[in-house]
Amino acid sequence: MADKKPDKNSENEKNFKLTEYFHNLLKRRINFRLTKKEMCDIICSVDFVVETLVATISSKVGWLQFSRVVRVGSMAEETSVGHPNEFDYLAILKIEANGVQVERACEKNRGYAHVKIIDPGLKTIWAKWMDGEYLKSNFTRGHSDWLSGYFDTLGNAFREEVCNFMQNDKLACKTDIGEIETDSFFNFHVKKHGPAFTPKFRWKSNRSGEIITIGVDITPAIEVELTPDIISEKDTYDPLFFRKVKENGKVMLISCREKASCDAKQCMCLVFTETEVELVRSMGQHHKDCYKLLKYIFNGGNGFTFLPSYALKTLVLKHSCHCEEEENLAVCFKTLVASCLHYLFNRKAEEEKIEPSRLARVFMPGDRFSLNIPSIFFGKHNILRGKIYKFPCEQFLQEIEMMLESIDNISCRETAEVDDKSLRIVNSRSTGAEAFVSTLPKLLPFVRKSTELTKCVECHRNYFNVKIL
């Protein structure tokens, strides 16, 4: 017997209620609740202290010269969630036009390249961070606070210079609106975060006295001219993306993890960060709101971030290319959840390794696994390459099942108001492995009965009428 299709009018009504709820959620919990003047003050103040920091390092350290600082990420894209407490910057190294040569080295691993140092002066001052004629990329060694004195990359050396400066000098900026200063407690060791490092600042409002601790990711980058052998239109997901790349005319190179490249010492990531900012900013507010909802609902808790915000951004950008919807948040949100489930159910299992800290996995179903989400710029490049999830996939599928059930309940309510009870779709459970272990006794019978969470699949089918297994 064929599955009974949901009544169209009923679905429309449910989507209308859910969209209204999402708008209330954005207004009351997700969008910033600061005044426009305070927002401008925070942005300008953070820009000022970061530019001052980078300029000071350049003036004191002869081998670290920067040409400019670029604000990127969610604050530049206008898609931050909750509080303006996370900023991202690229510190662009000052290099003459013919100082370096970018060599395409990974035909199979599109999205990576080697940087050959041509300028004799750079060869001299960067000698300790080079492997032969090429700049070292890999940062797996030297990223630990316990090994902060060991610098195997130029980026790690930059981070140490920043750490030393912030322990001895104080950065501050005061205005009529508020004031920002170095958070000395957090900056005893500036934390590494992938290729970036994250000093902390504190901003205080003169109006309300509210204090916001702000983490600033700073990533050193090399900027080079775009050439045809770096990227072509056939590489990109949509011609729009390639046009934007060509208009920008630049490409950035940053360090990458050891397992994400063909050569752990030399292979650097090609990134089009400024182009991404333009693409996200050019999206309509409707799809920006979809992106913010995904970030808030999937990654709002204190547990393990299952899908990085960059992965969610990639899905939204792809979706927006072919979507003309401008009002119904529920429809687009459900489609994007379907995309997440598609990648989860087409995951690749990885060989398990015995880890003493993960002995509890003996009692858990499922394998370690990886996901493959193609880049919008390089269709053959997996943006999650090298990221192995060390806890069962069923755990996150259970979170999605609970979220879908909660959304269904919200759709059937008489009111679309936001309250703590309805907010079980967010922050209801941690997606961290420790939380899963702590709830294992009561979950184990359920998981053993359905290791692939057929209930989650059934929820998915009810919402999207799509077969995913």
Side-chain angles (χ1 to χ4, degrees):
M1 182 181 293
D3 292 339
K4 184 179 179 181
K5 293 185 178 180
D7 178 76
K8 186 175 181 179
N9 292 330
S10 174
E11 286 301 302
N12 286 340
E13 183 179 352
K14 289 169 69 175
N15 284 338
F16 176 81
K17 287 183 179 179
L18 185 57
T19 295
E20 187 179 358
Y21 176 85
F22 280 156
H23 281 303
N24 288 336
L25 187 63
L26 285 159
K27 181 179 179 181
R28 298 189 180 184
R29 302 295 177 97
I30 297 178
N31 292 335
F32 298 152
R33 292 177 293 279
L34 297 167
T35 67
K36 196 169 184 178
K37 286 184 177 180
E38 285 176 324
M39 274 308 309
C40 290
D41 187 76
I42 291 174
I43 293 171
C44 292
S45 297
V46 176
D47 283 352
F48 174 80
V49 293
V50 172
E51 289 168 2
T52 301
L53 172 64
V54 173
T56 303
I57 298 298
S58 289
S59 67
K60 292 185 175 183
V61 184
W63 44 265
L64 269 178
Q65 300 296 304
F66 295 93
S67 60
R68 63 191 178 104
V69 176
V70 184
R71 177 162 28 94
V72 294
S74 58
M75 283 302 299
E77 296 161 353
E78 300 176 345
T79 57
S80 289
V81 168
H83 294 89
N85 57 2
E86 294 181 0
F87 282 71
D88 299 270
Y89 292 87
L90 293 179
I92 311 301
L93 285 158
K94 187 176 182 179
I95 299 174
E96 297 300 324
N98 297 321
V100 301
Q101 178 180 324
V102 179
E103 295 186 355
R104 281 286 311 282
C106 306
E107 190 58 39
K108 292 184 179 179
N109 291 341
R110 302 282 284 177
Y112 300 97
H114 295 179
V115 178
K116 185 176 182 179
I117 307 300
I118 304 297
D119 182 83
L122 288 180
K123 284 184 178 181
T124 300
I125 63 176
W126 288 356
K128 64 189 295 186
W129 302 293
M130 291 174 61
D131 180 42
E133 295 183 290
Y134 297 88
L135 193 64
K136 290 181 185 179
S137 170
N138 172 250
F139 55 76
T140 54
R141 293 183 303 167
H143 76 288
S144 168
D145 289 336
W146 298 104
L147 299 172
S148 59
Y150 182 86
F151 318 132
D152 58 349
T153 66
L154 190 65
N156 284 341
F158 180 25
R159 173 252 191 178
E160 187 67 11
E161 292 295 333
V162 170
C163 187
N164 291 336
F165 172 78
M166 298 192 73
Q167 288 183 41
N168 300 311
D169 295 86
K170 193 171 186 178
L171 288 168
C173 178
K174 295 183 179 182
T175 70
D176 293 337
I177 307 298
E179 59 184 283
I180 192 169
E181 63 182 12
T182 306
D183 193 324
S184 56
F185 174 79
F186 286 103
N187 290 321
F188 184 72
H189 285 294
V190 177
K191 302 295 184 182
K192 280 286 286 181
H193 181 211
F197 51 88
T198 312
K200 298 272 189 176
F201 300 90
R202 294 171 72 251
W203 181 85
K204 182 178 181 180
S205 167
N206 291 338
R207 173 183 62 88
S208 64
E210 179 181 6
I211 295 175
I212 299 176
T213 298
I214 299 173
V216 178
D217 276 4
I218 303 176
T219 305
I222 294 174
E223 181 180 55
V224 295
E225 295 291 332
L226 192 69
T227 58
D229 63 327
I230 288 178
I231 189 172
S232 63
E233 184 172 347
K234 67 179 182 180
D235 289 321
T236 59
Y237 175 79
D238 189 270
L240 168 66
F241 300 149
F242 183 67
R243 288 198 301 272
K244 286 289 186 181
V245 168
K246 283 191 68 177
E247 288 173 11
N248 187 277
K250 303 284 186 180
V251 60
M252 306 287 186
L253 296 109
I254 63 174
S255 296
C256 60
R257 294 185 186 279
E258 180 178 8
K259 294 182 179 179
S261 61
C262 68
D263 189 311
K265 292 182 180 179
Q266 298 177 356
C267 216
M268 302 190 78
C269 298
L270 293 163
V271 295
F272 304 88
T273 315
E274 288 184 287
T275 301
E276 282 178 6
V277 170
E278 293 176 15
L279 287 169
V280 174
R281 287 178 68 98
S282 66
M283 286 195 308
Q285 189 60 47
H286 169 82
H287 286 115
K288 288 181 186 176
D289 286 343
C290 286
Y291 178 32
K292 290 197 283 186
L293 284 164
L294 285 173
K295 286 201 292 185
Y296 185 70
I297 289 174
F298 279 152
N299 297 332
N302 295 318
F304 189 91
T305 299
F306 190 88
L307 285 175
S309 59
Y310 186 80
L312 299 175
K313 183 201 305 186
T314 298
L315 298 181
V316 174
L317 281 170
K318 289 181 178 181
H319 168 83
S320 66
C321 284
H322 311 292
C323 178
E324 298 181 356
E325 180 62 57
E326 296 179 349
E327 296 181 1
N328 199 324
L329 286 172
V331 169
C332 288
F333 179 83
K334 292 175 182 179
T335 302
L336 288 162
V337 172
S339 296
C340 294
L341 283 169
H342 166 78
Y343 289 110
L344 288 169
F345 277 99
N346 287 280
R347 65 194 181 274
K348 177 185 175 183
E350 298 289 332
E351 182 180 353
E352 182 64 83
K353 294 181 180 179
I354 297 176
E355 301 175 48
S357 61
R358 302 278 179 175
L359 288 180
R361 281 193 50 82
V362 173
F363 305 102
M364 299 182 188
D367 301 313
R368 296 195 338 166
F369 64 96
S370 61
L371 301 179
N372 180 13
I373 300 181
S375 161
I376 64 172
F377 299 113
F378 297 102
K380 295 181 180 179
H381 172 55
N382 175 15
I383 63 173
L384 297 180
R385 181 177 172 82
K387 183 176 177 62
I388 306 299
Y389 292 95
K390 299 182 180 181
F391 58 87
C393 181
E394 291 83 1
Q395 178 191 344
F396 189 69
L397 291 175
Q398 182 183 13
E399 301 296 326
I400 295 183
E401 176 195 341
M402 293 173 61
M403 185 262 288
L404 290 175
E405 289 177 347
S406 297
I407 284 178
D408 192 44
N409 292 335
I410 290 169
S411 300
C412 298
R413 294 169 63 201
E414 292 184 3
T415 175
E417 289 299 309
V418 174
D419 54 47
D420 291 336
K421 185 176 181 181
S422 69
L423 276 174
R424 79 182 286 260
I425 67 170
V426 294
N427 302 331
S428 56
R429 294 167 55 83
S430 167
T431 57
E434 293 181 1
F436 186 77
V437 173
S438 68
T439 56
L440 189 62
K442 62 181 180 181
L443 293 178
L444 196 56
F446 168 72
V447 175
R448 281 179 174 166
K449 181 180 178 181
S450 176
T451 57
E452 284 294 339
L453 290 179
T454 54
K455 287 180 66 179
C456 183
V457 178
E458 190 61 31
C459 282
H460 178 274
R461 286 174 177 164
N462 288 341
Y463 271 100
F464 312 113
N465 198 27
V466 174
K467 186 176 181 179
I468 59 174
L469 289 178

